[in-house]
Amino acid sequence: MQRTLGIIKPDAVAGNLVGKILAHIEVAGLSVEALRMVQLTEEQARGFYQVHQHRPFFKSLLAFMTSGPCVVMVLKGDDAIERYRALMGATDPAKAATNTIRALHATDVEKNAVHGSDGPDTAAQEIAFFRAALSRWA
Ligand code: CDP
Ligand code: MG
């Protein structure tokens, strides 16, 4: 049993895709253990994506991630981290495998519908980050 941190990003929430994305996750056999809709502050988005602070897309990414509400969730299941990354598809939807969430629902490499932790260390870190940032959310 493993946990991972997922986000349905502002583009997907604005596009009325919350239900479809949750269905995609649940049909694949992952469980939603905790979930909350929240509009990230600039500071929260900056903290969450700190690892990308020196990348050329960082400023634009912060503007996008704070542009509207998103849905933050803890997903649980066997091998949840890798299985959810596989469900999401590649960062750039043009390169994402057929029928992945990003192939189906993303707009471009930035507005790519979902986030998922990329390994056990980041999953633990990202879950702890939101457990601290959001007082009650399960
Ligand atoms: O989300 P993922 O782990 O697949 O990709 P990342 O390399 O960790 O990048 C984090 C996020 O930054 C992406 O999901 C995109 O929203 C954004 N990004 C971007 O705007 N332009 C890029 N060239 C790469 C990533
Ligand atoms: Mg990443």
Side-chain angles (χ1 to χ4, degrees):
M1 185 60 70
Q2 195 177 56
R3 290 182 171 81
T4 190
L5 192 283
I7 301 178
I8 303 175
K9 294 184 178 181
D11 59 323
V13 173
N16 294 340
L17 294 165
V18 172
K20 279 187 179 148
I21 291 171
L22 287 174
H24 199 123
I25 291 165
E26 291 188 326
V27 165
L30 293 175
S31 299
V32 179
E33 186 182 51
L35 177 150
R36 181 157 161 191
M37 180 176 272
V38 58
Q39 182 153 1
L40 298 181
T41 64
E42 160 110 16
E43 193 183 337
Q44 287 169 336
R46 187 179 290 279
F48 182 72
Y49 274 127
Q50 208 162 17
V51 63
H52 294 307
Q53 61 184 313
H54 300 303
R55 306 288 287 279
F57 56 80
F58 186 61
K59 207 174 161 195
S60 176
L61 177 61
L62 294 189
F64 163 53
M65 289 301 293
T66 58
S67 65
C70 58
V71 175
V72 180
M73 52 201 176
V74 178
L75 305 175
K76 196 169 84 172
D78 292 334
D79 207 15
I81 296 170
E82 279 212 23
R83 280 168 63 209
Y84 178 52
R85 289 292 298 194
L87 289 181
M88 286 166 51
T91 308
D92 180 352
K95 296 176 187 154
T98 314
N99 287 327
T100 56
I101 295 170
R102 282 167 165 168
L104 291 167
H105 303 304
T107 303
D108 57 38
V109 70
E110 177 184 80
K111 295 172 180 60
N112 58 3
V114 282
H115 167 83
S117 310
D118 63 8
D121 293 350
T122 48
Q125 243 173 53
E126 291 174 1
I127 290 168
F129 176 88
F130 277 109
R131 290 224 182 268
L134 311 174
S135 49
R136 292 182 4 192
W137 69 321

